[in-house]
Amino acid sequence: GVGVVSFNFNSLHPLDVGTLIHKEGVAIRSGHHCAQVLMEKLNVAATNRASFYIYNTKEEVDVLIASLQNVAKVFKL
């Protein structure tokens, strides 16, 4: 199966989150994901999106979680 999770991180801009996570070696998407109307309806500028598939490992998910924890640490959240 395919898993896609869209999220925002407190009040941080998704591009800032995506940039920090990228520096940890994790690839996520940040932006409006071709859903501008939905973003307007939700009153958000953009979101982050992580995608998972059968080839992803538990260790890769752990790296994503650690990178999100690092974002919280950097921004003192």
Side-chain angles (χ1 to χ4, degrees):
V2 176
V4 178
V5 179
S6 293
F7 61 94
N8 280 333
F9 204 100
N10 291 332
S11 62
L12 301 178
H13 194 282
L15 294 177
D16 294 332
V17 174
T19 299
L20 280 177
I21 289 175
H22 176 74
K23 289 181 179 184
E24 300 282 329
V26 177
I28 65 168
R29 293 291 213 173
S30 300
H32 53 71
H33 316 294
C34 298
Q36 296 94 325
V37 174
L38 176 61
M39 297 296 156
E40 290 173 9
K41 185 77 172 172
L42 296 174
N43 198 30
V44 296
T47 62
N48 293 295
R49 184 179 71 201
S51 302
F52 306 92
Y53 198 59
I54 59 174
Y55 51 77
N56 289 111
T57 65
K58 179 187 178 304
E59 290 76 21
E60 290 171 326
V61 175
D62 290 342
V63 172
L64 171 62
I65 292 168
S67 68
L68 290 171
Q69 290 170 333
N70 186 54
V71 169
K73 181 179 175 184
V74 167
F75 285 98
K76 298 177 176 42
L77 301 175

